[in-house]
């Protein structure tokens, strides 16, 4: 089942949106984006739970 995520859904003023065929693949895209765009080398636990709750069925 495809999944999607948008940074604005967790209150980021950012136009990033990602879509992938699985949550694992989506999390990989989000992690890469967080690192390059938000300067987050790792995603902390609080942000991670926000991200996971903002992931929707695409
Ligand atoms: Zn972003």
């Amino acid at each position: 089942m495809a999944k999607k995520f948008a940074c604005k859904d967790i209150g980021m003023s950012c136009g990033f949106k990602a879509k992938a065929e699985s949550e694992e693949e989506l999390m990989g895209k989000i992690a890469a984006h967080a690192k390059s765009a938000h300067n987050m080398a790792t995603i902390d636990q609080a942000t991670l739970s926000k991200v996971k709750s903002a992931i929707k069925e695409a």
Side-chain angles (χ1 to χ4, degrees), residues 5 7-8 12-16 33-34 37-38:
F5 169 80
C7 268
K8 66 172 175 52
M12 297 279 200
S13 54
C14 169
F16 175 79
H33 167 77
H38 298 289

Side-chain angles (χ1 to χ4, degrees), residues 10 12 40 42-54:
I10 57 165
M12 297 279 200
M40 287 180 198
T42 55
I43 301 178
D44 65 68
Q45 211 55 47
T47 305
L48 194 66
S49 50
K50 275 197 226 172
V51 167
K52 291 207 169 191
S53 64

Side-chain angles (χ1 to χ4, degrees), residues 18-49:
K19 192 176 167 186
E21 291 309 307
S22 67
E23 186 169 313
E24 290 71 30
E25 192 188 338
L26 185 61
M27 287 309 296
K29 289 185 181 189
I30 295 167
H33 167 77
K35 192 172 179 178
S36 63
H38 298 289
N39 211 19
M40 287 180 198
T42 55
I43 301 178
D44 65 68
Q45 211 55 47
T47 305
L48 194 66
S49 50

